Amino acid sequence: QVHLVESGGGSVQPGGSLILSCVVSGTNFEAYAMGWYRQAPGEQRELVAYITSGDLTNYVDSIVKGRFTISRDNRLNTVYLGMKSLKPEDTAVYYCNTAAGGPRWPWGQGTQVTVSS
């Protein structure tokens, strides 16, 4: 069974930075395009960025606007999301999952990101 464990969230002031991590177990991680999703209170979960098995990256520009960087380390079965210039509207629970064809694995617990002054 596939398990996803997200970490690295926290509370930061506007303009701050965080690096999120997601460790994947129970599958051949390197074969999958991976995405970071987020869900704000009262909102639907949305894709923020994804990275292919070949390390090609794609971002939802309306959200990211050059502020986020997605990367992966196949040796560690881990996908990362670097976030800078954080805004209050980035406040959400962040999750990882597959990206191609949408999320296919059970969701992890997510990691809370709160941006507030």
Side-chain angles (χ1 to χ4, degrees):
Q1 186 171 354
V2 179
H3 290 280
L4 308 173
V5 180
E6 298 93 349
S7 62
S11 295
V12 297
Q13 294 187 339
S17 301
L18 287 171
I19 299 176
L20 309 183
S21 301
C22 173
V23 179
V24 181
S25 61
T27 187
N28 52 333
F29 170 79
E30 64 274 10
Y32 292 94
M34 293 297 301
W36 278 97
Y37 301 76
R38 72 183 186 184
Q39 186 169 21
E43 302 290 333
Q44 289 195 341
R45 199 168 304 184
E46 61 182 353
L47 179 67
V48 173
Y50 70 84
I51 184 167
T52 69
S53 58
D55 285 343
L56 296 177
T57 59
N58 189 278
Y59 301 91
V60 178
D61 287 341
S62 61
I63 297 174
V64 173
K65 295 183 180 178
R67 301 181 298 123
F68 295 179
T69 302
I70 189 170
S71 60
R72 66 191 298 161
D73 187 336
N74 290 339
R75 299 166 303 170
L76 300 177
N77 284 8
T78 301
V79 59
Y80 303 96
L81 186 68
M83 305 186 295
K84 64 180 182 180
S85 302
L86 284 163
K87 306 174 182 180
E89 50 264 43
D90 294 317
T91 295
V93 180
Y94 285 71
Y95 304 85
C96 71
N97 213 307
T98 55
R104 68 173 64 193
W105 296 327
W107 294 100
Q109 83 289 347
T111 187
Q112 175 71 50
V113 172
T114 302
V115 185
S116 173
S117 56

